[in-house]
Structures are given as C-alpha cells and as structure tokens.
Amino acid sequence: MSQLNAAARAPLDSRAKMIEFHEVHKYYGDYHALRGISATIREGEFFSLLGPSGCGKTTLLRTIAGFEDISSGAVLIDGKDMSDVAPNKRPTNMVFQSYAIFPHLTVGENVGFGLRRDPRSKAEKAKAVEEALEMVGLKGYGARAAHALSGGQRQRVALARALILKPKVLLLDEPLSALDKKIREQMQVELIKLQREVGITFVLVTHDQEEALVMSDRIAVMFEGEIAQLADPETLYRRPNSRRVADFIGVMNFLPAQILGEAAGHVQLEVGGLGRFEVTEEQASARASGAEPVVGFRPETLTILYEGQQAHDREAPATIDEVVYYGDMTYYDVKLDGVDAPVRISMRNVFGRPVLDVGTRTRVAWSAGALVLFR
Amino acid sequence: MKFSSLKGYAFLYLVFLYAPIVLLPVFAFNSGTIIAFPLKGFTLDWFRDLFANQTLGLALKNSLIIAVSTSILSTTLGVFAARASTRFKFPGKTGVMGLIMLPLVLPEIIIASSLLVVLLAVGMPLSLFTVILGHTLMATPYAIAVLNAAFSSLDRSLEEAAYDLGETKWSTFRLIILPLVTPGIISSALMSFTISLDEFIVAFSLAGKETTLPIYIFSQLRFPKQIPMIMALGTCLVVASIVLLATAEYFRRRGLAKTGAKDTGGFL
Ligand SMILES: Nc1ncnc2c1ncn2[C@@H]1O[C@H](COP(=O)(O)OP(=O)(O)O)[C@@H](O)[C@H]1O
Ligand SMILES: [Mg+2]
C-alpha cells in the first residue's frame, strides 16, 4: 500500500526539505518529553510518528504546529526557523484527535472558518467551501449542524477545514483512533488518496503500527522521547534495528542464538531448532534488548510443508501446537524439534488444502536470508 | 399505590417549601387587613396601593440598579477568573482562588461590618455604589462557581483549532469560547442578580441614606396595616422571578440545543 502511495513520484531524497528537527528537546518541568529529536521530513511526504502512548508523538507534532515551545534545538518549516512564529502564522494546519469541530457552527461555517481573513468575495469563499466538502465526500452537507454528525463525518469536516487553507503541512493527531474498524480502514485509503491528490506533506501521529505501515512513505518509531528508527514501512518491517522496534511492529518470533564466529561480512550462528547457518552483516546490525543474542523472523517467512512439498532453501522438523483459523489465513503455533517455546507461522489458506490439526508432525521451510540477528 | 416514606418526605418538603409562597397571592387579593383565615372578599386595593407608593418605587429602582450592576460586574469578573483558573497555571493559583471564593463561607454580617469599616476609613461616602461593591464581592464567588463549570467543560482543542486556523487569541475567545459558555454566563448573571436583589444585611450597612427593596420591606413589616400591600409586592416578585427564570432557561436550553451539548442541569 505504501508503494501505491510512493509510486510515480519523485524519490524522497531528491525532494525539498519541508520540516527539519535539529536536536529538539522538550521538558515539562523535570520531565524530559523529547530527548534530542533530529529528522527531516520531505515535501509531499506522508510521514508517520509511531509509538506507544506517552512516548512524545503528540508533543513532537505540536512543536510543528507551534502549540508547544521547545526547550532547545530548532524546528524549521520550509527552511525557515519557527521559534518566533505563532501557530496562527505557521504554514501548517492540524486535524485534532477530538476533531475540535466548533459545535455552535454549521458544517459549512466550520469548513470556511479559516477563510474569515481571506480577502476573496463571499461567493468565492462559498465555492471554496463547497469544493472542500466535495473533496472529503460531504457535498451538500454545508447547512447541517456540525454537532449532529457521526464520528467519520466529523473527521471529514476537520480535514476539509484544515485543507481549505492549502497549508504546506497537514498535521494529524490520531485522526482515526475514534472510528470503528471498518470506517477506519476505509478512511485510511481515502486519506492516502487525498494526500496524493493535494500533494501536501502529511504528518500523522498514530499508535497503530498497522495504520502507519499502510499509510506512510516513511515512519519514525518513537520510544520515550527518542526516535528509535526512521525508515520506510518495508525496511521497518523486514529490518527492524532493535528488538524493541521489532516487538512493536507486527509479530516477530525470537529464538536464542549462539554466535560462533564472524568472517568476511558473515556471521556464523547456531540456533536451537534450526541448526548451524550464517547470515550477512546487514542482517546482523540490530540491537537486542538483553545481553543474549536472538534471531527474529516474521510469521509469514516460514512455511509449513505438506506431503510431497519441497523446501526451496532449508527445512526443519516440527510439531503443530496450536491452530487459529482466520478464514483467509491460519495461524499455526509450532514447536521446532529441540525448542520448548512455540513459534508462530501464518499461512494463507488455499482451496483444497486442509487446515492441519494440533499434534500433526510436519516440516517447516525457512530461509536464513529472512532472519534478523539481534545482538 | 403504596405511599412510601420517601414519597411522604418529598411531599412534606414541597408543602413546607411552597405553602408560604402560595399564601402570598391568597392574602394579596383578600380584602381583610388582617392576615388570617377566613378570607373576607376579593380586592385589588393592595396592588393599587403598591403602584401608588413612591418610596417603594424608588426602592425598587435602586434595587434594580444595584442588582443589574452587580450581575454585570460579578459575571464579568467571574469570566476572567474562571478562564484563568481553568486554562492557566500560575504560581499561587490555589491561594488566589481560595481567597476569591472566601466570601462564599463568610457570614454576611462580617462582610458587611468589615466593608463598612474599610469604606469609612478610606472616606468613601455610602451610596448605591458602595452597595454594588459589597454585592459584587458576595456574588462573584457564585458566578465563578457557575462559570468554572462552563469553562472547564470546553474542549481545549477548540480554541487551539481556531488559533491554528489563523485567528488571534482574542478573536478566538470572541468567536469560539464566548458563544460556547453563553449558557453559563446566563446562569451566572441570573444568580448574581437574584443574590443582590434580596440581599439585606450588606445593603442595610452600606446604603447610607438610600433605600433598597429588602430594606423597605423590612421597615414596613413593623406596620400591620402595610402587610397586605407587602403580600401584593411579594406576589409581583414571585411572578417576576418565574418569568425571569423561564426566560433564562429558555435561552440556556436553546444554547445547548444549538451546540448539541449534554444538559448538565439548569434551573428548571
Ligand atoms: N502539558 C504537559 N505537561 C506535563 N506533561 C506533559 C504535558 N503534555 C504531555 N506530557 C507528558 O509528556 C509525555 C508525552 O506525551 P504525548 O506527547 O502526549 O505522548 P503520546 O502522544 O505519544 O501519547 C507523556 O508522558 C505526558 O504525560
Ligand atoms: Mg498523543
């Protein structure tokens, strides 16, 4: 999906810098909320701040909008230092988590609120409001009372209200978290389309890793006021740089590993259940959280082999310990021979291929190239 | 239906609360000069006396001037204080708010005598103005209590959104905050008005030669033959209160309906 987003546009690195954080620190009293954030967000990028609750995502977003003063460092927007620029003078607009729809105004008045100081004629402004409403799929809603709208509709009004000002940057603080799953997924796709249509830089705050993966060009994963990893979704998913990031994004299986030696850009390992093999240096750059090295692999990188199937690369004997059927997918927890803790494998269900029972002896196909070594 | 003890309690409560008020119009239209049953006959004489009474007219006018001024002053001060206490953090906030709210628990007689001492010491002549000051001091804590509730139920991101959309802090206040706290402002104004209108002790101490409605009524209670007229006056006041309350509640509910806010209790 992120490919869908990034497709047919200039590569990120060649685009102008839209937002720059230089060593941004923020203290609330004694509490160190932002601990030296440095990052660059490019023009037209869909950028996400992802992390658990309380890690400082909202605080960082609000430093862009100007609602939080920073304790040290600098925030630049479009090359200009923002330290002396008030929120109402910044080229940013925000979609608030609560949407902040003005309840005493109509939908149209809400959307047109930012045009109050616009020198255009009344008719032109009305037209702009109508266009903004149409863009978010609320054509003809202008005269309605804003407080009577559903959650999804409020969200659209908040979007239209922010986008009508054609900001350089649109800031979104968990805009979808209050919506039902179905509407949320629908809005994710609509937001991606909208962003491509308007070409504005979007900065999204979310604690939902799936949402971030689906929507973003790049993601900054934050823990405790620091950026732990900044990468595109695929890199983040396939090559997390620490066990903490790996744990936070998707499901990752871990097995204790023993490092036997290193030579010529390769690391030799011995892993219970998988045996001896080697990985490249590139796969071995991630940090473990403890002293013990572990290898990690995603559930879909392993495959259960049926009778007569051959592994492309390597295989390991195992027993099925638990089966969770999801309709399109089945999750198997399998015990590799010689390992007590089960690992999770996800298999796409294929017509004519039975779901295996608990206790079945089987073989698991795997490949050393799909592993990440955390050390 | 079984008459539970709780229902009985509620019934008695209402009787005690409203029986005296029901008696007001009964005797206001009774032609006998003595307040006692049996009733004699129907008359409008007491109302005629009432409207012909110039001292009373003056007292009423004074009271209205005081009450309206108090209402405006204490509500305005209340808006500032409530805004400050709900939105800003500043050193000594708890102490300052505590001091502002103190008159709520001080006996009126203490407020009245200490104000009198201060005013005499500064050499300020007693007048309607000094009563307004005293009443504002008394009514402001009530205004703040009501307005605090209104301000603290405001979502902070509403004002940030307006600021973000290019408005200044002041225009945000005018365009977003003020309209949304209007129901609270109406409640506060009405409450301050009522507190001032029927206040006796402070008015009596600080009015000097002037007369207010409660002072006048109190002075007339010594003359039995004036009592039926006071009953007529009381009847008028009850009707006026009901009209005022109903109007305020109408505007409050209309404000709520317009913003779709939850009704958190009003007057009616
Ligand atoms: N105004 C504030 N005063 C004091 N602490 C704050 C304030 N705002 C946020 N914090 C603290 O800063 C940390 C980060 O908050 P926030 O940026 O809202 O986290 P997130 O959006 O990632 O959940 C939290 O621990 C929070 O308690
Ligand atoms: Mg947040």
Side-chain angles (χ1 to χ4, degrees), chain A residues 57-58 97 173-174 205:
Chain A
K57 310 179 291 291
T58 297
Q97 190 163 11
D173 190 358
E174 311 238 4
V205 159

Side-chain angles (χ1 to χ4, degrees), chain B residues 126-254:
Chain B
L126 299 181
S127 64
L128 293 188
F129 180 66
T130 49
V131 181
I132 292 172
L133 289 185
H135 281 183
T136 302
L137 181 73
M138 287 174 58
T140 302
Y142 291 93
I144 293 176
V146 171
L147 289 165
N148 251 342
F151 274 96
S152 59
S153 67
L154 268 190
D155 179 0
R156 176 164 197 177
S157 49
L158 288 177
E159 45 187 292
E160 285 182 342
Y163 195 28
D164 186 60
L165 291 167
E167 293 303 325
T168 62
K169 289 205 165 146
W170 165 243
S171 62
T172 296
F173 187 77
R174 190 166 55 80
L175 293 167
I176 304 299
I177 302 174
L178 219 46
L180 291 175
V181 294
T182 298
I185 289 179
I186 292 174
S187 302
S188 158
L190 195 67
M191 189 181 277
S192 315
F193 180 85
T194 319
I195 289 172
S196 167
L197 193 68
D198 77 347
E199 202 285 331
F200 177 73
I201 300 175
V202 171
F204 187 72
S205 317
L206 303 184
K209 292 192 294 294
E210 305 281 357
T211 306
T212 69
L213 203 55
I215 298 176
Y216 177 78
I217 293 174
F218 185 71
S219 71
Q220 295 305 298
L221 286 177
R222 279 174 297 160
F223 309 114
K225 108 177 155 8
Q226 296 283 47
I227 303 276
M229 188 194 73
I230 300 294
M231 291 290 188
L233 175 60
T235 307
C236 292
L237 287 178
V238 167
V239 171
S241 315
I242 292 174
V243 170
L244 194 64
L245 212 64
T247 318
E249 181 66 12
Y250 167 76
F251 280 110
R252 202 186 64 85
R253 286 199 186 169
R254 206 180 65 163

Side-chain angles (χ1 to χ4, degrees), chain A residues 62-85:
Chain A
R62 289 168 60 87
T63 66
I64 307 174
F67 292 127
E68 301 292 348
D69 292 328
I70 55 180
S71 309
S72 69
V75 177
L76 276 66
I77 301 178
D78 206 11
K80 286 190 252 328
D81 186 274
M82 285 290 131
S83 43
D84 293 326
V85 185

Side-chain angles (χ1 to χ4, degrees), chain A residues 28 31 33 52-59, chain B residues 89:
Chain A
Y28 290 114
Y31 185 73
S53 174
C55 71
K57 310 179 291 291
T58 297
T59 305
Chain B
K89 278 189 202 146

Side-chain angles (χ1 to χ4, degrees), chain A residues 5-6 9 42 100 103 107 115-116 121 144 162 173 180 190 204 220 266 295 307 309 314 326 337 343 356 364:
Chain A
N5 192 15
R9 293 196 301 181
R42 301 278 171 173
V107 169
L115 299 180
R116 266 173 39 84
S121 75
R144 296 216 194 172
D173 190 358
D180 304 340
E190 284 189 34
L204 173 91
H266 284 77
V295 292
E307 288 286 332
Q309 275 186 312
R314 297 157 187 268
Y326 271 90
D337 285 4
V343 296
L356 299 172
V364 171

